[in-house]
């Protein structure tokens, strides 16, 4: 089969890690008789420098015309001026919004060989296998008004937390559908003791649960969820939550896996279904890591694992997705480590070697 894949490396380590993912996909395509056509576009800080926009029109056009989008990371100290009119992160937010990617899936699994890479006790990490479904195009990130201004009594700032029924319903369906295909347990995370949007969210979750009689729904307040994620993470199967809560909880959840360098994500415009092709954007959950950019030591596994999600959800190539996940699992079991997942004193390898090792196992 022929597929067009847009590759948006972005800033910092983004181009390094997407570079390895592309090489892995190329080897896979050759082995399995597919043709992947890669087209590259600018996004983030470098796009601001070169085109004056964090999401140039050409990049958006490319993304819209592709079967799937692979993204690295955006941002860096160079573009951190709080007074700047546009920021690298605007590119990421805009592409999510423009492509209608309202559901962000962030699976978290603990590889047995990496149980010591996490600061948490091995007993806590036993059996962790969860997915966070984060709402991605609403809430505080996009709500209006959103501004800063000066008053006679000092400066003020406002962000708006708003959700419509439609926005909540569609992401809850993603949560329920995923749970249905897994352990049939959905945790809806909110702050219903304080926030109106959360009270609406909770009410709707309870209503929609009637459509999924085989899924057990529980409601959990976000502060409790933050605690349970490090206290008893294996109790979770699928978690569904609004944008900001999901952003925070998934960085926390990354600690379970040992490193941000291991966690992939898929951003979807509908309920992802195995056996169907849906448009999606795939990116590691880590950022651009400017401190290690250009050093060739970034961990490409989160991005490589993101391509597995791409194969599964956007290209309907489940067998190929599995091959990549198996290869990554094997490389980790065999003891290969980039610095982020190495124990003190353990021998480490670089970005490119890690990519080669995975590619050689396909
Ligand atoms: C993420 C990131 C982004 C977000 C930033 C870079 C805008 O933290 O994908 O989790 O907050 O969504
Ligand atoms: Mg984040």
């Amino acid at each position: 089969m022929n597929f067009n894949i847009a590759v948006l490396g972005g800033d910092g380590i983004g181009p390094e890690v997407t570079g390895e993912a592309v090489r892995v996909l190329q080897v896979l395509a050759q082995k399995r008789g597919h043709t992947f056509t890669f087209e590259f576009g600018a996004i983030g800080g470098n796009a601001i420098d070169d085109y004056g926009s964090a999401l140039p029109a050409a990049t958006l056009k490319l993304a819209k015309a592709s079967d799937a989008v692979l993204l690295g990371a955006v941002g860096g100290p160079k573009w951190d001026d709080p007074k700047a009119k546009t920021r690298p992160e605007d590119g990421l937010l805009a592409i999510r919004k423009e492509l209608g990617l309202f559901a962000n899936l962030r699976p978290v699994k603990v590889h047995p060989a990496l149980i010591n890479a996490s600061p948490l006790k091995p007993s806590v990490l036993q059996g962790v296998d969860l997915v966070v479904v984060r709402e991605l195009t609403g809430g505080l990130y996009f709500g209006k008004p959103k501004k800063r201004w000066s008053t006679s009594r000092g400066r003020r700032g406002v962000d708006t937390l708003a959700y419509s029924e439609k926005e909540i319903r569609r992401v809850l369906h993603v949560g329920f559908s995923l749970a249905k295909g897994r352990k049939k347990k959905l945790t809806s995370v909110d702050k219903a003791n304080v926030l109106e949007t959360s009270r609406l969210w909770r009410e709707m979750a309870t209503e929609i649960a009637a459509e999924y009689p085989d899924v057990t729904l529980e409601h959990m307040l976000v502060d409790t969820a933050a605690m349970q994620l490090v206290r008893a993470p294996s109790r979770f199967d699928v978690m569904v939550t609004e944008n900001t809560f999901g952003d925070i909880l998934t960085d926390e959840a990354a600690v379970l896996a040992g490193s941000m360098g291991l966690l992939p994500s898929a951003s979807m415009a509908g309920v992802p279904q195995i056996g169907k092709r849906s448009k999606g954007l795939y990116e590691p959950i880590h950022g651009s890591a400017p401190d290690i950019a250009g050093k060739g030591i970034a961990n490409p596994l989160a991005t490589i694992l993101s391509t597995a999600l791409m194969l599964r959800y956007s290209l309907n190539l489940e067998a190929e997705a599995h091959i990549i996940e198996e290869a990554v699992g094997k490389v980790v079991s065999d003891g290969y480590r980039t610095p982020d997942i190495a124990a003190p004193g353990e021998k480490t390898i670089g970005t490119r070697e890690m990519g080669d090792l995975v590619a050689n196992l396909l």
Side-chain angles (χ1 to χ4, degrees), residues 114-129:
L114 285 176
I115 212 149
N116 292 314
S118 169
L120 297 174
K121 286 198 199 104
S123 60
V124 171
L125 297 171
Q126 219 75 53
V128 169
D129 179 5

Side-chain angles (χ1 to χ4, degrees), residues 106 134 247 250-251 285:
R106 298 188 164 185
R134 168 189 175 194
D247 178 45
T250 50
D251 267 32
I285 88 152

Side-chain angles (χ1 to χ4, degrees), residues 210-232:
E211 295 174 46
Y212 300 86
D214 47 344
V215 175
T216 307
L217 167 70
E218 71 171 346
H219 302 284
M220 192 179 282
L221 296 174
V222 64
D223 44 356
T224 309
M227 178 186 67
Q228 292 293 358
L229 257 183
V230 285
R231 212 183 75 113

Side-chain angles (χ1 to χ4, degrees), residues 251-330:
D251 267 32
E252 187 190 2
V255 176
L256 306 171
S259 168
M260 298 268 284
L262 291 169
L263 291 197
S265 88
S267 301
M268 312 298 304
V271 175
Q273 279 165 328
I274 293 174
K276 267 200 173 166
R277 291 178 49 187
S278 354
K279 182 74 163 240
L281 179 146
Y282 302 84
E283 56 175 322
I285 88 152
H286 63 70
S288 60
D291 52 324
I292 59 163
K295 294 192 178 151
I297 58 167
N299 187 349
L301 293 181
T303 313
I304 293 172
L305 287 169
S306 298
T307 68
L309 298 178
M310 170 190 290
L311 292 162
R312 173 168 298 132
Y313 295 131
S314 281
L315 310 186
N316 191 16
L317 297 174
E318 174 62 26
E320 282 79 353
H322 202 70
I323 290 171
I324 293 208
E325 286 166 346
E326 290 284 302
V328 169
K330 176 95 173 42

Side-chain angles (χ1 to χ4, degrees), residues 45 48-49 75-90 148:
I48 296 177
D49 291 351
K78 183 176 174 197
W79 306 282
D80 258 351
D81 176 6
K83 296 222 163 70
K85 269 213 210 75
T86 174
R87 303 171 53 89
E89 290 77 5
D90 295 338
R148 275 202 295 160

